[in-house]
């Protein structure tokens, strides 16, 4: 590129670019021939007016001003020139671990153990410094990097290791807090806390650094490859089995033991950064590798030709995922104007489908997205003939929907079912029995209700919940508002036009809306994981609130759907179902008991503590000893424990549906 000026800086060449910012090699000159070369990080023009991006950039500058450590890339200057925010940073003459790892793999080389330990010790020491940093008032800043990945670990020409890019770091006084429920970090280099959107502290960085070190020795990602959600599930479960299966020459037992301590699934069981650095230093001493790592890394950089890039080389890191203000990858999120986005999609000619009913009536034509919506909502079943472009024959792209037992709503499937009528609390009690007895099968709910208060219009809603050994596995629904796209829009995860874009390219992704959204850069894989989990959870909770209709339980039935283990707690759903039940419904259900005496059920299968109920509910149960009517129980709990009457009624209702108490 031709040199151009940005204030006092002359831009020499672009080093890296992404969807949010770009980094240039630049130089600043002064009197008497003074000159300094820097890496100049500039926010992209299209994000200058985005308050969130600007706040993140300013927060990065605020953090960088505090960080003065040899193992962290230094920031010298921060400013705004004609609306362009920039950070002037230390220019590292070297490469990053991502490129080093790929080059070594291509050359069939292995990064020496001394080099791996050098990376771990230096990075862990830098993290410990950041985690322990205090402000001018001696208050802990609680900085967490949250993006420790190969792309952000730099190796200089001399083999020194430096941690870069605090662009998505969290710290105690950040103006733009990045713990807002969105998951940030690169796929494959996240901690279980990040995947589950839980609170993170410095031990999250330790987990991700240990993930990087494991990959350096294994020569492949610790949590594998494949579908994004599958990788996230492995991380969430802390599945580090590749360490146990690894060849001892690649993964010595003493290194594996240290990594296992840093990769503990629970943060409380995990080493902190200082402890991790100390453990790695001890290992290096025992193996007499102290002081050898830098030389090993420097020689690898030179041997693999990673330290002499051409003057016009522009670096992009294909393994990185959308993260901070620089995303070193090519498939970044497109701009947010609908016309620009659609122009970038290169959408092929749409395929249309027709549905031929048993009565010979042909319906359609439907787009791919529309026919899937109609199948999922129960408007089309496997008995009808579906034609593509008016031609008879198979439609394999629809088979996973047309042939799915979870999408069928026939009466034949209920031949072996136990059936009954739905009343307030019925579904809660049914689910509690299924979960507590660890049953496998399908709970189906059907209801037809008048629309607009008349019988002229009717709305049928149907729902199926599949359980395996008492754990909720899959839920299907005919309610349009419960489709994934509607859920994402309603909860502010995506814009309507972004979902429409994904629907336009749905055939490329086998009908999977989530995969299409990730491919377009609209949503990150980890955010999709949480969105799917919340969508499924909402489907369960909606079913638990049904007050009318018919229920049927088919023992042993399986969904045969491709499902991800979303770790749904069945007992927790029962608790949350009671919490989300409207108070008038609870009052009506309890009133129907009249003066019946409630007795604690000593044969209950599940104790109260297993449900993790609110403390007010526990105190409601503690306040009563022996049989009592609802009225007496309520009065005793309010009198002795000073509990809110609404919470007392909710706790009593929970006791009944959970079989902790029974009417004598």
């Amino acid at each position: 590129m031709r040199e151009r000026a940005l204030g006092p800086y002359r831009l020499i060449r672009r080093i890296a670019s992404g969807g949010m910012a770009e980094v240039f090699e630049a130089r600043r000159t002064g009197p008497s021939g003074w000159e300094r070369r820097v890496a100049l990080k500039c926010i992209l023009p299209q994000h200058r007016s985005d308050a969130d991006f600007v706040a993140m950039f300013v927060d990065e500058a605020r953090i960088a001003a505090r960080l003065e450590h040899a193992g962290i890339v230094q920031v010298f200057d921060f400013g705004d020139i004609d609306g362009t925010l920039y950070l002037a940073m230390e220019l590292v003459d070297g490469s990053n671990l991502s490129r080093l790892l790929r080059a070594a793999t291509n050359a069939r080389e292995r990064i020496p153990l001394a080099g791996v330990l050098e990376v771990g010790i230096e990075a862990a020491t830098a993290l410990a410094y950041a985690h322990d940093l205090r402000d001018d008032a001696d208050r802990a800043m609680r900085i967490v990097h949250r993006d420790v990945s190969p792309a952000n670990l730099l190796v200089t020409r001399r083999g020194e290791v430096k941690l870069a890019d605090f662009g998505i770091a969290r710290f105690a006084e950040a103006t733009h807090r990045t713990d807002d429920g969105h998951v940030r970090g690169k796929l494959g280099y996240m901690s279980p806390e990040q995947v589950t959107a839980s609170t993170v502290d410095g031990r999250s960085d330790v987990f991700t650094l240990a993930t990087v070190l494991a990959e350096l020795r294994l020569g492949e990602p610790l949590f594998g490859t494949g579908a994004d959600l599958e990788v996230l599930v492995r991380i969430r479960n802390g599945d580090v089995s590749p360490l146990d299966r690894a060849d001892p020459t690649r993964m010595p037992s003493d290194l594996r033991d240290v990594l296992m301590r840093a990769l503990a699934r629970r943060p409380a069981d995990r080493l902190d950064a200082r402890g991790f650095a100390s453990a790695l230093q001890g290992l290096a001493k025992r193996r007499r590798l102290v002081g050898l790592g830098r030389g090993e890394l420097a020689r690898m950089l030179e041997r693999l030709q990673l330290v002499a890039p051409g003057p016009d080389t522009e670096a992009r890191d294909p393994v990185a995922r959308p993260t901070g203000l620089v995303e070193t990858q090519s498939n970044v999120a497109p701009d947010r104007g609908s016309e620009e986005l659609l122009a970038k999609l290169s959408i092929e000619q749409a395929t249309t489908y027709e549905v031929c009913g048993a009565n010979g009536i042909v319906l359609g034509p439907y787009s791919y997205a529309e026919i899937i919506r109609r199948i999922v909502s129960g408007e089309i079943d496997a008995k009808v003939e579906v034609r593509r472009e008016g031609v008879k024959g198979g439609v394999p792209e629809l088979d996973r929907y047309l042939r799915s037992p979870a999408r069928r709503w026939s009466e034949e499937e209920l031949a072996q079912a136990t059936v009954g009528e739905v009343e307030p609390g019925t579904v809660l009690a049914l689910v509690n029995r299924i979960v507590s007895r660890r049953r496998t099968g399908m709970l189906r709910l059907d209801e037809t209700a008048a629309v607009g208060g008349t019988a002229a219009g009717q709305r049928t809603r149907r729902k199926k919940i599949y359980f395996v050994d008492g754990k909720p596995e899959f839920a299907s629904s005919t309610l349009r508002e419960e489709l994934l796209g509607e859920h994402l829009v309603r909860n502010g995860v995506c814009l309507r036009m972004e979902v429409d874009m994904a629907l336009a390219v749905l055939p490329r992704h086998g009908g999977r809306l989530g995969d299409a959204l990730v491919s377009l850069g609209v949503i990150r894989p980890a955010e999709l994981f949480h969105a799917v989990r919340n969508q499924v959870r909402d489907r369960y909770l909606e079913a638990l609130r049904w007050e009318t209709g018919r229920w049927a339980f088919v023992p042993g039935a399986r969904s045969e759907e491709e499902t991800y283990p979303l770790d749904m707690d069945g007992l927790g759903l029962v608790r949350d179902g009671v919490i989300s039940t409207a108070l008038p419904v609870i009052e009506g259900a309890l009133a129907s008991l009249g003066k019946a005496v409630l007795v604690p059920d000593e044969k209950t299968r599940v104790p109260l503590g297993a449900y993790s109920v609110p403390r007010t509910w526990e105190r409601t149960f503690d306040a009563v000893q022996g049989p009592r009517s609802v009225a007496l129980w309520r009065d005793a709990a309010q009198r002795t424990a000073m509990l809110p009457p609404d919470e007392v009624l909710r706790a009593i209702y929970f006791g009944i549906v959970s079989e902790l108490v029974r009417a004598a």
Side-chain angles (χ1 to χ4, degrees):
M1 60 175 283
R2 295 176 59 186
E3 285 195 16
R4 60 186 177 89
L6 183 65
Y9 297 96
R10 301 293 299 182
L11 307 185
I12 301 171
R13 66 184 179 97
R14 183 183 288 110
I15 298 173
S17 63
M20 302 178 192
E22 53 190 346
V23 180
F24 299 90
E25 180 182 346
R27 65 184 175 191
R28 181 170 184 171
T29 58
S32 303
W34 180 87
E35 178 180 292
R36 183 168 205 169
R37 289 186 176 244
V38 299
L40 203 68
K41 181 175 183 177
C42 306
I43 194 167
L44 288 170
Q46 61 263 35
H47 297 311
R48 292 174 188 172
S49 59
D50 189 309
D52 283 342
F53 289 136
V54 170
M56 287 176 68
F57 202 97
V58 172
D59 280 344
E60 180 177 6
R62 293 177 63 199
I63 295 175
R66 294 278 184 176
L67 299 174
E68 299 180 8
H69 189 275
I72 297 175
V73 173
Q74 301 297 288
V75 173
F76 308 122
D77 189 17
F78 168 64
D80 182 346
I81 299 175
D82 297 328
T84 298
L85 284 172
Y86 69 86
L87 281 171
M89 306 179 293
E90 174 185 2
L91 181 64
V92 176
D93 181 14
S95 185
N96 64 32
L97 275 184
S98 179
R99 299 188 196 109
L100 175 59
L101 183 58
R102 290 201 307 277
T105 300
N106 291 337
R108 298 188 177 181
E109 285 196 32
R110 184 184 308 172
I111 298 178
L113 180 58
V116 174
L117 293 176
E118 181 72 17
V119 170
I121 292 168
E122 294 303 313
T125 302
L127 286 171
Y129 163 81
H131 295 165
D132 296 342
L133 198 63
R134 308 183 75 83
D135 64 14
D136 294 337
D138 199 35
R139 295 171 299 194
M141 294 187 68
R142 301 193 298 277
I143 295 173
V144 185
H145 189 285
R146 303 212 306 173
D147 195 15
V148 180
S149 62
N152 287 332
L153 286 165
L154 310 185
V155 183
T156 72
R157 180 185 294 273
R158 295 184 296 276
E160 300 160 328
V161 178
K162 292 180 179 286
L163 182 61
D165 199 352
F166 278 79
I168 64 169
R170 174 198 177 276
F171 69 112
E173 298 180 5
T175 302
H176 179 263
R177 294 294 296 269
T178 55
D179 54 355
D180 54 3
H182 293 295
V183 181
R184 293 174 171 87
K186 294 187 179 71
L187 184 71
Y189 307 103
M190 301 174 70
S191 66
E193 307 94 90
Q194 288 177 289
V195 170
T196 57
S198 304
T199 302
V200 300
D201 59 22
R203 292 168 296 187
S204 174
D205 289 340
V206 171
F207 188 98
T208 51
L209 175 58
T211 300
V212 173
L213 300 186
E215 181 174 351
L216 293 181
R217 287 304 293 172
L218 295 174
E220 58 186 26
L222 174 61
F223 295 104
T225 57
D228 293 336
L229 290 184
E230 292 175 355
V231 174
L232 292 171
V233 167
R234 293 186 203 114
I235 296 173
R236 184 205 65 190
N237 294 341
D239 181 8
V240 293
S241 54
L243 294 181
D244 292 322
R245 298 194 299 266
D247 183 340
T249 61
R250 284 184 174 269
M251 185 57 62
S253 60
D254 50 357
L255 176 60
R256 182 195 62 211
D257 293 344
V258 173
L259 292 179
M260 292 291 272
R261 293 167 60 195
L263 290 165
R265 185 172 183 270
R266 295 177 62 249
D269 300 330
R270 200 179 300 157
L271 291 169
D272 62 13
R274 199 164 299 283
F276 191 29
S278 178
L280 293 171
Q281 287 169 339
L283 195 157
K285 286 180 180 179
R286 289 191 298 274
R287 286 182 166 267
R288 299 181 180 180
L289 297 175
V290 176
L292 301 181
R294 287 190 181 181
E296 295 278 13
L297 292 172
R299 285 188 288 275
M300 282 200 78
L301 289 179
E302 185 175 352
R303 185 168 60 253
L304 297 172
Q305 300 181 338
L306 294 173
V307 289
D312 295 319
T313 299
E314 179 177 321
R316 287 185 180 269
D317 185 355
V319 302
R321 299 298 177 108
T323 173
L325 293 174
V326 168
E327 302 164 0
T328 48
Q329 65 153 17
S330 57
N331 59 328
V332 296
D335 300 334
R336 292 300 177 98
S338 59
E339 291 184 3
E340 290 183 44
L341 281 168
L342 291 171
K344 294 179 180 180
L345 297 181
S346 301
I347 302 173
E348 59 271 9
Q349 183 66 34
T351 300
T352 60
Y353 299 85
E354 295 177 341
V355 177
C356 306
N359 55 7
I361 297 177
V362 177
L363 302 176
Y366 301 122
S367 68
Y368 183 74
E370 177 62 15
I371 197 167
I372 287 179
R373 187 195 69 75
R374 289 176 177 269
I375 295 171
V376 169
S377 64
E379 298 175 39
I380 298 174
D381 61 33
K383 294 181 179 179
V384 301
E385 179 188 0
V386 179
R387 300 173 182 173
R388 185 199 302 115
E389 304 290 353
V391 179
K392 293 184 178 181
V395 281
E397 66 270 32
L398 299 178
D399 279 351
R400 63 182 290 259
Y401 295 99
L402 287 170
R403 310 297 177 227
S404 168
R407 315 291 181 187
R408 298 175 195 159
W409 304 95
S410 66
E411 293 300 308
E412 290 85 345
E413 71 177 353
L414 304 181
Q416 305 299 320
T418 304
V419 300
E421 296 299 315
V422 174
E423 297 178 352
T426 298
V427 182
L428 269 168
L430 282 168
V431 169
N432 184 77
R433 286 200 291 272
I434 293 169
V435 172
S436 62
R437 289 160 176 77
R438 300 177 61 85
R439 300 197 66 183
T440 294
M442 179 266 289
L443 177 64
R444 173 170 157 175
L445 304 173
D446 295 82
E447 181 201 51
T448 300
V451 177
T454 70
Q458 290 186 331
R459 182 198 195 206
T460 299
R461 60 171 177 166
R462 292 169 172 164
K463 188 163 288 190
K464 291 181 179 180
I465 304 176
Y466 289 85
F467 298 85
V468 177
D469 293 331
K471 291 185 177 181
E473 180 196 44
F474 184 79
S476 58
S477 169
T478 62
L479 299 177
R480 179 166 185 163
E481 58 265 29
E482 291 191 343
L483 296 176
L484 178 59
E486 299 299 319
H487 174 89
L488 294 174
V489 173
R490 186 170 61 253
N491 289 278
V493 179
C494 299
L495 301 176
R496 171 67 63 184
M497 66 99 171
E498 292 173 327
V499 171
D500 291 342
M501 283 190 331
L503 291 172
V505 295
L506 208 58
R508 302 180 190 174
H509 302 279
R512 294 176 173 85
L513 178 63
D515 289 352
L517 288 166
V518 170
S519 175
L520 292 174
V522 171
I523 186 172
R524 295 183 179 92
E527 290 173 324
L528 174 62
F529 177 90
H530 289 285
V532 171
R533 192 176 193 276
N534 290 336
Q535 177 213 12
V536 173
R537 183 175 182 275
D538 287 351
R539 282 187 173 183
Y540 292 147
L541 292 179
E542 195 276 340
L544 297 179
R545 294 191 292 268
W546 279 35
E547 300 176 36
T548 59
R550 183 184 67 166
W551 66 267
F553 182 73
V554 182
R558 298 296 296 269
S559 70
E560 298 182 21
E561 285 283 324
E562 177 184 335
T563 61
Y564 291 97
L566 297 175
D567 198 25
M568 292 289 179
D569 174 16
L571 297 177
L573 285 172
V574 173
R575 174 202 62 223
D576 293 345
V578 173
I579 291 174
S580 65
T581 300
L583 187 61
V585 174
I586 293 176
E587 291 173 333
L590 295 180
S592 68
L593 295 175
K595 296 183 179 180
V597 175
L598 301 180
V599 181
D601 192 343
E602 298 178 355
K603 296 181 180 180
T604 182
R605 293 172 177 267
V606 181
L608 177 64
Y611 292 88
S612 299
V613 298
R615 178 60 183 149
T616 53
W617 296 10
E618 294 180 355
R619 292 171 63 194
T620 298
F621 279 82
D622 293 340
V624 177
Q625 302 294 328
R628 296 285 179 97
S629 67
V630 171
L632 290 176
W633 193 350
R634 180 196 59 208
D635 293 342
Q638 291 181 229
R639 184 177 63 256
T640 62
M642 303 297 290
L643 298 175
D646 293 355
E647 282 300 287
V648 172
L649 293 178
R650 204 172 291 276
I652 296 172
Y653 180 70
F654 165 77
I656 294 170
V657 299
S658 64
E659 301 181 301
L660 290 168
V661 298
R662 56 182 174 83

